[in-house]
Amino acid sequence: MHDEVRETIELLLEREQSEGYDPFGFRPKILEQVLPVAHFLYRHWFRVEPHGLENVPDGRLLLIANHSGQLPFDGMMIGTALVLDRRPPRVVRGMVERWVPTLPFVSQFFARAGQVVGTPANARALLEREELLMVFPEGARGISKTFDRRYQLEEFGLGFMRLALETNTPIVPIGVVGAEEQLPSFYNAKGLARLFGMPSVPVSPTLVLPLPVKYRIYFGEPLHFEGDPDDEDRVIRERVDTVTAAIRALLDRGLRERTGIFS
Amino acid sequence: MAPRKSPPTLLLTGISSRLGRMIARSLHTEYRVIGVDPRGGVHMPRDVTVHALDLRRRKAEDIFRRNRIDAVIHLPPEAPAAQTMDDHRNASVVGTQKVLDYCQKHDIPKVVILSTAAVYGPRPDNPQFLTEEAPLLAGTRHHLMRDLVETDMYATSFFWRHPEVDTVVLRPVHLVGRLNNAASQYLRLPRTPTILGFDPMMQIISSEDLITALTRSLKPGIRGVFNVAGPPPLPLSELVRRARHTNLPLPEPLVRAMLAVKIGGGTAAVSAMQVEYLKFVCMVDDSRARDTLRYTPRLDVAQTLAPISR
């Protein structure tokens, strides 16, 4: 195991109960299996460059990011950045689809890795435990969009804003630059996707192996919102637009700063 | 508090079950305990009177008529191995209806019904912790579960219909101890079959902690539905490991077959511990019990598992 990985795991296990499980079934010790792989992808494959990690405070927090690249390496790399490059490291909790618990082994693995079933009650419970929750409000529409629409944001869902207002949680906007080019998809075979019950079937020359593009992850300053979580959509939408604009700005900055897709 | 002439009277149904005897033993110094159980009283403290009666018999009402009862604790019958579907429905659902009718008719100020958190049903899309408002979705498939749900629903609707009676419905998580309920029988197996590829988080509770919650529910003014949980949850495999038993992950059909033989001797009673509970979460949020009943579990996981550990 790489020294950096070993050291990080020791730091994390010190903070969490190393032998234990949290009430959601997360077992910090699983990082011994997961982190070496994530470390390779982070340092050597995608050569991730994180910016603004100091904007990620302690305590309850929502990470809101753009979603792209056909396969969710963007989520994995955001999580890895917060573990490998933030001190002290923070574990990111994510939400999975409601049918994931029906999958043998997969369900078990996700639970141990800290992923919870995406229900509003679970999201609230995690934030009340002062956890760090990652949400992609573009959902499947974002990750499966075709190459011609790269770095365009799909419409954001409103759920995360209601959640933030209800639990009084700050939001850190995140712009991920690079993931859009990892698996360029030229056509989304929606009919085929429906047939197999999958969110999308991307038609891509690189198949499932992502290109070794360079990732740049921009963590924006925390945004604080106040208001009635049950307000009508129009009012909530205005606040969501603030977050969308922040992410848009981070993406524009990243696109300006990069010299090429692989460098 | 002013000195009392005589202790309050408590009627305990199902007193001859193991749990019933434990409750009687822990409450008979504070209450005058009267028991009802078709099996009659065995190994009871001397000051406990037991009527060998079925609750559905007319004579059961005489107990309510002849005693000034201050509180009733109703333990719906466990599922004995050889019962038919109708027998069980009758004993559990009709028995509960009778008890609640008598309580209302004879102005009993307090009744506590022991239900179970299993009534919520294990489901893949369950939130990790279900509150008391969650729908009762167990038991669409098996009559024993259906009866549990029906009993619970009858009790909760009685709570709404009769504000004059302080009705408490307790929904404890899997009860583990020297008991004959399905969860205890299952976790007592030295080689415990679990379902390959699944390892849900699970909550267990000891009879001691459950009795504490029951005792707190008897306090005047307490009414409502309460989830009751024990120590923090653990994955099923970890519970098996901490009971110092061997985890035996097997394909689901095999587990079904094995449990049918090992629990309940091949009869239908197995399904009280339906295999779905070994696949998906069915856990509860017990904050209402913690706030209102001022209940906190005292035993940790090791202590809770001790009676069934190797």
Side-chain angles (χ1 to χ4, degrees):
Chain A
M1 202 186 289
H2 198 282
D3 281 349
E4 187 187 10
V5 174
R6 194 197 321 270
E7 193 187 304
T8 305
I9 289 172
E10 275 165 20
L11 269 172
L12 272 167
L13 293 188
E14 234 170 69
R15 282 157 61 86
E16 324 262 348
Q17 339 80 310
S18 59
E19 280 303 311
Y21 299 80
D22 88 345
F24 288 86
F26 169 49
R27 188 176 195 223
K29 242 183 141 59
I30 200 168
L31 287 168
E32 289 174 0
Q33 290 152 49
V34 179
L35 203 53
V37 181
H39 176 266
F40 168 78
L41 290 172
Y42 186 86
R43 291 276 183 246
H44 304 292
W45 195 261
F46 295 124
R47 305 168 318 283
V48 180
E49 213 178 271
H51 298 267
L53 270 172
E54 67 281 1
N55 287 327
V56 180
D58 291 328
R60 66 179 68 179
L61 193 65
L62 270 166
L63 301 179
I64 306 295
N66 62 314
H67 207 14
S68 59
Q70 312 304 329
L71 290 174
F73 288 108
D74 50 357
M76 192 181 183
M77 290 304 105
I78 293 170
T80 311
L82 287 158
V83 167
L84 286 180
D85 282 335
R86 184 187 189 268
R87 285 293 172 267
R90 281 202 78 176
V91 173
V92 175
R93 311 297 295 261
M95 315 267 277
V96 296
E97 297 281 350
R98 291 174 190 219
W99 44 261
V100 165
T102 61
L103 307 172
F105 304 106
V106 176
S107 58
Q108 216 173 316
F109 172 78
F110 274 145
R112 295 300 166 268
Q115 307 296 299
V116 304
V117 179
T119 73
N122 281 349
R124 273 195 303 275
L126 279 174
L127 293 174
E128 271 154 23
R129 293 171 52 84
E130 307 301 329
E131 299 278 2
L132 176 59
L133 189 59
M134 177 162 54
V135 177
F136 296 103
E138 295 171 278
R141 279 173 292 122
I143 192 168
S144 60
K145 65 184 180 299
T146 45
F147 194 64
D148 55 308
R149 278 160 47 228
R150 61 190 182 280
Y151 298 113
Q152 294 174 23
L153 293 174
E154 296 287 313
E155 191 177 55
F156 279 24
L158 303 180
F160 79 91
M161 184 54 71
R162 296 191 191 277
L163 182 67
L165 294 172
E166 197 182 337
T167 55
N168 195 18
T169 304
I171 289 174
V172 166
I174 299 176
V176 181
V177 174
E180 289 278 20
E181 289 90 2
Q182 70 187 7
L183 281 168
S185 155
F186 297 100
Y187 178 66
N188 182 3
K190 287 192 181 124
L192 212 59
R194 257 198 305 279
L195 193 67
F196 292 109
M198 287 160 45
S200 72
V201 173
V203 177
S204 168
T206 60
L207 292 173
V208 291
L209 189 71
L211 299 174
V213 293
K214 184 167 178 70
Y215 263 56
R216 286 176 176 78
I217 305 178
Y218 294 85
F219 295 86
E221 281 175 26
L223 305 167
H224 299 264
F225 294 93
E226 272 168 37
D228 177 8
D230 298 320
D231 228 327
E232 52 185 293
D233 283 2
R234 186 179 48 82
V235 183
I236 301 289
R237 170 69 60 199
E238 278 171 24
R239 298 196 173 88
V240 169
D241 287 343
T242 313
V243 181
T244 315
I247 295 174
R248 180 73 261 161
L250 293 168
L251 288 177
D252 290 341
R253 180 184 153 200
L255 291 170
R256 254 192 334 269
E257 282 180 10
R258 77 171 175 180
T259 47
I261 292 172
F262 298 98
S263 59
Chain B
M1 208 160 77
R4 271 201 306 255
K5 287 202 184 83
S6 59
T9 303
L10 174 77
L11 178 70
L12 177 57
T13 70
I15 195 170
S16 300
S17 63
R18 294 207 177 194
L19 180 65
R21 290 207 299 269
M22 287 182 200
I23 297 170
R25 273 200 295 273
S26 73
L27 292 181
H28 77 109
T29 49
E30 275 180 75
Y31 292 86
R32 182 168 80 93
V33 176
I34 305 175
V36 197
D37 199 300
R39 288 164 284 192
V42 270
H43 307 299
M44 287 294 162
R46 218 166 281 166
D47 55 355
V48 172
T49 327
V50 178
H51 298 274
L53 263 182
D54 190 311
L55 286 166
R56 291 165 289 173
R57 300 266 303 277
R58 258 180 188 289
K59 275 184 75 181
E61 195 175 356
D62 290 347
I63 305 169
F64 287 81
R65 228 176 255 133
R66 290 186 192 144
N67 298 280
R68 251 193 58 93
I69 295 170
D70 297 288
V72 174
I73 294 181
H74 176 56
L75 310 179
E78 292 163 350
Q83 256 183 358
T84 68
M85 205 154 136
D86 282 347
D87 278 348
H88 185 267
R89 197 197 114 78
N90 239 311
S92 64
V93 183
V94 180
T96 304
Q97 290 175 351
K98 288 283 181 207
V99 169
L100 292 175
D101 289 351
Y102 298 151
C103 286
Q104 191 248 325
K105 214 166 132 193
H106 299 276
D107 299 319
I108 312 291
K110 162 80 74 179
V111 56
V112 182
I113 298 109
L114 185 69
S115 178
T116 159
V119 292
Y120 296 115
R123 299 171 67 85
D125 54 352
N126 266 349
Q128 199 76 356
F129 299 98
L130 296 150
T131 60
E132 287 84 354
E133 281 69 38
L136 311 185
L137 299 173
T140 42
R141 291 202 203 150
H142 196 275
H143 74 272
L144 283 178
M145 292 310 301
R146 239 177 357 244
D147 291 349
L148 287 176
V149 171
E150 208 177 321
T151 303
D152 186 295
M153 283 178 163
Y154 191 86
T156 32
S157 80
F158 181 86
F159 161 77
W160 290 111
R161 278 185 290 124
H162 296 286
E164 73 278 12
V165 184
D166 276 350
T167 307
V168 176
V169 181
L170 293 186
R171 293 179 185 153
V173 298
H174 297 300
L175 179 60
V176 167
R178 288 193 188 83
L179 303 163
N180 293 323
N181 66 326
S184 303
Q185 290 188 43
Y186 169 73
L187 282 172
R188 244 193 320 259
L189 299 172
R191 288 158 65 80
T192 316
T194 55
I195 297 177
L196 191 65
F198 293 92
D199 195 13
M201 295 297 282
M202 205 176 265
Q203 291 166 317
I204 55 172
I205 188 171
S206 62
S207 24
E208 283 95 322
D209 282 332
L210 176 57
I211 291 171
T212 307
L214 275 168
T215 314
R216 300 284 164 90
S217 320
L218 290 173
K219 285 193 183 155
I222 299 279
R223 56 200 315 278
V225 184
F226 297 94
N227 290 334
V228 185
L234 279 175
L236 172 60
S237 65
E238 188 66 19
L239 290 177
V240 171
R241 202 175 66 80
R242 295 201 186 182
R244 289 191 290 282
H245 294 157
T246 313
N247 201 351
L248 198 64
L250 296 168
E252 188 177 331
L254 225 61
V255 177
R256 270 178 207 281
M258 272 186 80
L259 290 183
V261 176
K262 294 210 167 182
I263 302 179
T267 66
V270 192
S271 327
M273 186 73 191
Q274 283 180 309
V275 291
E276 268 76 18
Y277 291 92
L278 310 179
K279 269 175 95 176
F280 305 128
V281 284
C282 179
M283 299 204 294
V284 297
D285 178 340
D286 65 344
S287 34
R288 189 188 285 174
R290 286 171 185 265
D291 296 344
T292 311
L293 301 182
R294 308 227 160 268
Y295 158 82
T296 35
R298 209 174 45 81
L299 270 57
D300 63 19
V301 172
Q303 291 164 324
T304 304
L305 286 171
I308 54 114
S309 295
R310 181 139 55 179

